[in-house]
Amino acid sequence: MKIAFIGLGNMGGGMAANLVKNGHEVRAFDLSEDALAKAKSNGCETFTDAKEAVQGVDAVVSMLPNGGIVKSVYSDAVIGHAPEGAALLDCSTIDVATAKEVTKMATAKGYKMVDAPVSGGIAAADGGTLTFMVGGSEEAFAAAKPILEGMGKAVIHAGDAGAGQTAKICNNMLLAISMIGVAEAMQMAQKLGLDPQKFYEISSQSSGYCWSLNAYTPLPGVGVESPADKDYQGGFATALMLKDLRLAMAAAEEVDAGVPLGARAASLYEDFAGAGNDGLDFSAIIKTYK
């Protein structure tokens, strides 16, 4: 397929490269010259104009920082410029309302659009092992699925437009809560004199089992290898976790959902990021408890 890819940052660059590896012709656009150069080295054809990049394509994939940019890019450079009937896949993490609005705009012009945010981080984007949670019609999902399968290990249809974003922010709110819980428990166990590795061996095989402990252990030298063993570099940045928590809090307020633990997690990450830790992996929140 001929695919335009808009947004070649830490996540998008690896995703575009995997589409090339899976045999697609990728027309890449980004404002960064360095990102374009990297995309070119990975086999993409590069463009400095998004409108030009989407000409004659079968699909458009985007990975952008926020809802305002997503709406601007689709309204100004994609809708009406990409061929009518093309599949549009926004993989950004944005607010539910904007996802629904942009999908409505695109559908009215004959496009098949999905919101398809991802879980997995930079390593999964580079390795082609992302999980996609997808919102959109059955027809739009059917058009998007083979493209998403070229970038991930799991593609799940969450429901209608906006459902992908709903799944993403709720999932990441849960992730933040569980990581904070693991951090508190590990530090408390250590202060009480229990060897951290022994705590990991016990809790990871008992009722404390969870992804934050078993697959992403936040303490260096304990459990599995994780960003903690690399001085909390790489992985999923605190700034990105905070972005998702802010989206979750805004959504919770809109529907009057009670999220006291989510609100507390958001507050803790606000403080942690504000102390100059926004570039560290989100598991570095464990530093708060030392």
Side-chain angles (χ1 to χ4, degrees):
M1 296 178 69
K2 184 181 291 187
I3 301 171
F5 202 110
I6 301 175
L8 304 165
N10 290 333
M11 296 290 290
M15 292 164 68
N18 278 308
L19 288 175
V20 174
K21 291 176 185 176
N22 279 276
H24 299 293
E25 179 184 336
V26 179
R27 298 163 61 89
F29 167 79
D30 196 277
L31 295 175
S32 165
E33 292 183 4
D34 289 342
L36 288 175
K38 185 175 180 180
K40 188 172 184 178
S41 72
N42 286 328
C44 299
E45 184 181 0
T46 58
F47 294 83
T48 55
D49 185 333
K51 294 177 183 177
E52 186 180 351
V54 304
Q55 295 294 316
V57 299
D58 302 300
V60 177
V61 180
S62 57
M63 194 63 164
L64 299 164
N66 59 57
I69 294 174
V70 168
K71 183 177 178 180
S72 175
V73 166
Y74 276 89
S75 60
D76 296 343
V78 177
I79 297 172
H81 298 280
E84 185 176 337
L88 308 182
L89 298 73
D90 180 40
C91 297
S92 319
T93 297
I94 63 173
D95 61 286
V96 176
T98 298
K100 290 181 177 180
E101 181 183 0
V102 175
T103 296
K104 185 176 181 180
M105 290 165 46
T107 302
K109 296 295 184 179
Y111 297 96
K112 298 181 285 290
M113 185 167 189
V114 298
D115 52 286
V118 308
S119 178
I122 297 171
D126 291 342
T129 58
L130 293 166
T131 292
F132 291 90
M133 44 211 91
V134 188
S137 68
E138 292 286 352
E139 181 185 12
F141 176 71
K145 187 178 180 182
I147 300 168
L148 296 173
E149 287 176 336
M151 300 181 286
K153 65 177 181 180
V155 180
I156 303 166
H157 191 194
D160 293 334
Q165 300 297 345
T166 297
K168 174 64 184 288
I169 60 175
C170 291
N171 178 77
N172 278 17
M173 182 179 72
L174 176 58
L175 174 60
I177 293 168
S178 69
M179 182 57 77
I180 290 169
V182 168
E184 291 183 357
M186 294 196 83
Q187 291 290 23
M188 179 178 174
Q190 190 171 15
K191 288 181 178 181
L192 287 169
L194 181 61
D195 178 78
Q197 180 62 30
K198 288 298 180 184
F199 175 77
Y200 169 82
E201 291 173 9
I202 293 165
S203 195
S204 65
Q205 299 181 73
S206 59
S207 56
Y209 177 105
C210 66
W211 189 88
S212 293
L213 175 66
N214 290 59
Y216 214 85
T217 318
L219 201 62
V222 178
V224 299
E225 184 177 352
S226 68
D229 298 299
K230 302 172 184 177
D231 199 26
Y232 301 100
Q233 300 300 312
F236 185 47
T238 291
L240 295 178
M241 173 57 83
L242 182 55
K243 170 195 169 184
D244 291 356
L245 286 169
R246 287 170 175 164
L247 289 172
M249 293 306 99
E253 185 175 356
E254 287 177 10
V255 297
D256 195 26
V259 289
L261 290 181
R264 182 57 180 150
S267 177
L268 288 171
Y269 273 104
E270 287 277 7
D271 292 343
F272 187 61
N277 301 303
D278 55 323
L280 296 180
D281 181 77
F282 82 107
S283 64
I285 192 86
I286 198 169
K287 291 174 174 282
T288 302
Y289 300 97
K290 288 187 177 178

